[in-house]
Amino acid sequence: MWTKHWTASSVTDYECHNIESKHQHLNGHCTRWRGCTQGTRENILANLKDWAEDQSSPKVYWMEGMAGTGKTTIMYSFCEILNGNQQLGANFCCSRLIPSCRDANLIVPTLVSQLAAYSPSFRSSLCKVLSREQQQPTELNIPTQLKRLLGEPLKAAKAFSVDVVIVIDAMDECQDSSLVQLLLDALLESTASLPLKYFITSQPEFRIRDKMLAQHRDMPSILHLHDIKQSIVEADIHKYLLDTLGNIFPPLPLADIQLLTKHAGKLFIYAATAAQYINPGP
């Protein structure tokens, strides 16, 4: 019985594959992780903030982009904005480097755990649902997870005072694409009945794209990062490099920073890797 583990006091103990845990797990595999440099990605973040606050906007926002275009950095900054506005209900950061972070079966239980910590009313309703269940969360198929763990408690709980956003980053990094498709089908089908919004990021993986572009009652907002004008991205990369390399000694000539900017094109990962090599820091 779940009641041995999922009680009012322990329901939030489920392992959370969120921003901080991903950062800790990936610390040995990538450059230092942080949000957007001040003054960069301003239009994107402003549009995301408007989407989160507009009750008439689509329930799903999908941001896709090639590897290295800065999706996770934007997600991190957006989560900071949501958290500051008390709108961040839960987040799951997928990663193919970590077994538990590439398992799509863990996404809904983890989101539910965090949402229970966010909302006492939801947690109370969740515990009542869980007391009637006989299976562990990951033993349920994904549509059933979404219905029983998220849908039923949400409908029984008091309405949230703000629009709550659920964030799923790098969905393409899940191991089993068929489970990802199941999850997307269930999420997109549930948007009309649940008081939640979903911000999802991924590379332009065709199975995810097909689901997002299929006809739904509530078509998602979509941002293709790699389609943003080159000049806009280069201006942001230039600001990032100035911020990161502007205080090193001896100073890096401005012409070199401009050259790095040109070489980076639309790839923030190129600029971040070059900056880390030039100025490794402590």
Side-chain angles (χ1 to χ4, degrees), residues 126-182:
L126 174 63
C127 287
K128 292 176 183 177
V129 171
L130 294 173
S131 68
R132 301 191 297 268
E133 294 294 341
Q134 302 293 324
Q135 293 176 280
Q136 291 291 328
T138 53
E139 293 175 352
L140 301 170
N141 63 48
I142 287 178
T144 304
Q145 286 180 358
L146 197 73
K147 178 182 177 181
R148 294 185 185 171
L149 304 184
L150 194 61
E152 291 179 14
L154 274 174
K155 290 175 182 177
K158 296 178 181 177
F160 297 125
S161 58
V162 294
D163 286 329
V164 175
V165 180
I166 302 296
V167 175
I168 305 174
D169 181 49
M171 187 175 271
D172 58 286
E173 296 203 20
C174 287
Q175 187 173 22
D176 190 333
S177 60
S178 64
L179 292 182
V180 171
Q181 290 178 296
L182 273 177

Side-chain angles (χ1 to χ4, degrees), residues 1-266:
M1 288 286 288
W2 284 1
T3 47
K4 291 170 129 182
H5 308 285
W6 293 77
T7 64
S9 61
S10 65
V11 71
T12 59
D13 291 341
Y14 200 85
E15 184 179 358
C16 296
H17 304 84
N18 59 10
I19 292 172
E20 294 305 324
S21 66
K22 182 182 180 183
H23 189 194
Q24 292 165 5
H25 278 104
L26 297 185
N27 192 43
H29 302 277
C30 64
T31 56
R32 288 168 294 180
W33 200 28
R34 65 179 195 178
C36 301
T37 298
Q38 187 173 0
T40 66
R41 303 298 209 183
E42 290 181 319
N43 287 339
I44 293 174
L45 292 172
N47 288 335
L48 287 172
K49 184 174 181 291
D50 289 343
W51 165 78
E53 295 176 350
D54 183 358
Q55 294 185 347
S56 64
S57 64
K59 292 288 193 71
V60 176
Y61 194 116
W62 177 43
M63 183 175 70
E64 70 152 356
M66 304 287 192
T69 50
K71 299 181 297 296
T72 294
T73 303
I74 293 170
M75 178 278 302
Y76 191 96
S77 290
F78 184 43
C79 282
E80 290 182 322
I81 293 171
L82 292 173
N83 196 49
N85 293 339
Q86 297 185 324
Q87 288 181 273
L88 181 60
N91 66 87
F92 189 103
C93 297
C94 308
S95 171
R96 62 175 57 92
L97 296 176
I98 308 166
S100 60
C101 291
R102 60 174 181 252
D103 185 353
N105 272 313
L106 296 178
I107 292 179
V108 173
T110 301
L111 296 175
V112 166
S113 170
Q114 295 176 42
L115 199 57
Y118 172 85
S119 168
S121 176
F122 174 80
R123 177 166 58 182
S124 176
S125 298
L126 174 63
C127 287
K128 292 176 183 177
V129 171
L130 294 173
S131 68
R132 301 191 297 268
E133 294 294 341
Q134 302 293 324
Q135 293 176 280
Q136 291 291 328
T138 53
E139 293 175 352
L140 301 170
N141 63 48
I142 287 178
T144 304
Q145 286 180 358
L146 197 73
K147 178 182 177 181
R148 294 185 185 171
L149 304 184
L150 194 61
E152 291 179 14
L154 274 174
K155 290 175 182 177
K158 296 178 181 177
F160 297 125
S161 58
V162 294
D163 286 329
V164 175
V165 180
I166 302 296
V167 175
I168 305 174
D169 181 49
M171 187 175 271
D172 58 286
E173 296 203 20
C174 287
Q175 187 173 22
D176 190 333
S177 60
S178 64
L179 292 182
V180 171
Q181 290 178 296
L182 273 177
L183 176 59
L184 283 174
D185 278 337
L187 285 179
L188 292 168
E189 185 64 29
S190 71
T191 55
S193 60
L194 298 182
L196 296 172
K197 287 185 172 182
Y198 300 96
F199 176 63
I200 298 170
T201 79
S202 76
Q203 291 190 37
E205 203 272 341
F206 76 93
R207 293 180 182 85
I208 297 175
R209 176 178 289 179
D210 287 349
K211 293 297 181 184
M212 289 296 189
L213 298 182
Q215 292 297 317
H216 304 286
R217 286 177 294 179
D218 183 23
M219 289 296 293
S221 294
I222 300 174
L223 172 62
H224 306 287
L225 275 183
H226 44 270
D227 287 344
I228 296 174
K229 287 178 61 176
Q230 180 88 11
S231 59
I232 295 174
V233 180
E234 283 190 3
D236 282 347
I237 288 177
H238 190 256
K239 289 178 185 177
Y240 165 78
L241 289 171
L242 284 175
D243 178 77
T244 307
L245 301 175
N247 295 321
I248 65 173
F249 185 84
L252 196 67
L254 185 58
D256 288 350
I257 291 181
Q258 291 171 336
L259 185 61
L260 283 173
T261 301
K262 288 295 182 184
H263 281 312
K266 292 185 177 182

